[in-house]
């Protein structure tokens, strides 16, 4: 009975002990804690920024591959005919479906490092072939203008994403 009273007294004195939520006391008030420079990096923020940079790097590699196919199919008639070949285009679209299913439905494939990069690379090439089949019928100038506008808009979004304070 005495032990039970001691536990109740401890919980009344320190409400942080309720529900086993142990909080360590600090000498700095909570509102000042984030304002002080503790001399060490904010590891959560560093991890978030490095993740965003990695994702933007992957997306930029995919964009450059797709733009390469688009310009090549528009500039070189042989590449345009290759991308517009019905068998190549149908194979590209049919092969894209299982790659997308593997990326979206299989968590292990999506999170395993060499496999996910390989699947993203395959998807990018297959998608680039279908984009190349569309741009083969346009002149090079119109393809380059559309790529430039797309890069301007996407670049602006990337700059905003890198400079926006991420939520904690």
């Amino acid at each position: 009975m005495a032990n039970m009273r001691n536990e109740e007294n401890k919980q009344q004195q320190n409400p942080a002990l309720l529900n086993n939520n142990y909080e360590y006391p600090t000498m700095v008030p909570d509102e000042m804690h984030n304002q002080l420079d503790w001399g060490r990096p904010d590891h959560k923020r560093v991890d978030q920024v490095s993740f965003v940079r990695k994702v933007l790097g992957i997306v930029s590699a995919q964009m450059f591959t797709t733009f390469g196919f688009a310009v090549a199919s528009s500039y070189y008639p042989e590449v345009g005919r290759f991308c517009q070949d019905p068998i190549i285009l149908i194979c590209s679209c049919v092969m894209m479906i299982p790659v997308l299913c593997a990326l979206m439905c299989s968590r292990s494939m999506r999170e395993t490092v060499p496999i996910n990069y390989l699947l993203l690379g395959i998807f990018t090439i297959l998608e680039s072939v279908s984009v190349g089949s569309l741009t083969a019928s346009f002149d090079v100038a119109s393809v380059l203008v559309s790529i430039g506008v797309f890069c301007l808009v996407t670049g602006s979004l990337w700059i905003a994403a890198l400079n926006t304070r991420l939520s904690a």
Side-chain angles (χ1 to χ4, degrees):
M1 192 70 156
N3 287 341
M4 193 175 195
R5 285 187 192 149
N6 288 339
E7 287 296 319
E8 288 176 4
N9 288 338
K10 284 182 185 177
Q11 287 180 355
Q12 288 174 355
Q13 292 171 358
N14 189 356
L17 294 177
L18 291 173
N19 300 326
N20 294 327
N21 291 334
Y22 298 105
E23 294 181 8
Y24 297 101
T26 60
M27 300 301 287
V28 180
D30 289 336
E31 59 270 11
M32 288 182 59
H33 194 274
N34 293 331
Q35 296 173 0
L36 296 175
D37 181 21
W38 294 98
R40 53 185 176 214
D42 183 9
H43 293 290
K44 185 176 181 180
R45 174 81 174 145
V46 170
D47 289 344
Q48 288 175 339
V49 170
S50 63
F51 174 76
V52 168
R53 286 183 180 159
K54 180 178 81 166
V55 168
L56 293 179
I58 291 170
V59 170
S60 65
Q62 289 178 313
M63 285 176 45
F64 284 126
T65 303
T66 304
F67 293 161
F69 268 86
V71 171
S73 68
S74 178
Y75 189 73
Y76 299 108
E78 307 84 35
V79 177
R81 281 192 296 272
F82 172 78
C83 290
Q84 287 182 329
D85 184 17
I87 293 178
I88 298 294
L89 192 56
I90 289 171
C91 287
S92 171
C93 291
V94 168
M95 288 171 49
M96 200 180 318
I97 294 170
V99 171
L100 277 176
C101 287
L103 281 171
M104 291 189 308
C105 299
S106 174
R107 185 177 196 148
S108 63
M109 286 189 174
R110 187 175 54 235
E111 293 179 355
T112 305
V113 169
I115 295 173
N116 59 2
Y117 289 143
L118 180 67
L119 290 174
L120 280 173
I122 291 170
F123 170 75
T124 302
I125 291 171
L126 295 173
E127 188 69 29
S128 297
V129 168
S130 63
V131 169
S133 71
L134 293 172
T135 59
S137 59
F138 295 105
D139 62 339
V140 179
S142 62
V143 172
L144 290 175
V145 167
S146 64
I147 288 173
V149 169
F150 183 79
C151 286
L152 183 68
V153 170
T154 307
S156 300
L157 290 173
W158 286 358
I159 290 169
L162 288 175
N163 290 320
T164 301
R165 180 150 176 89
L166 298 172
S167 62

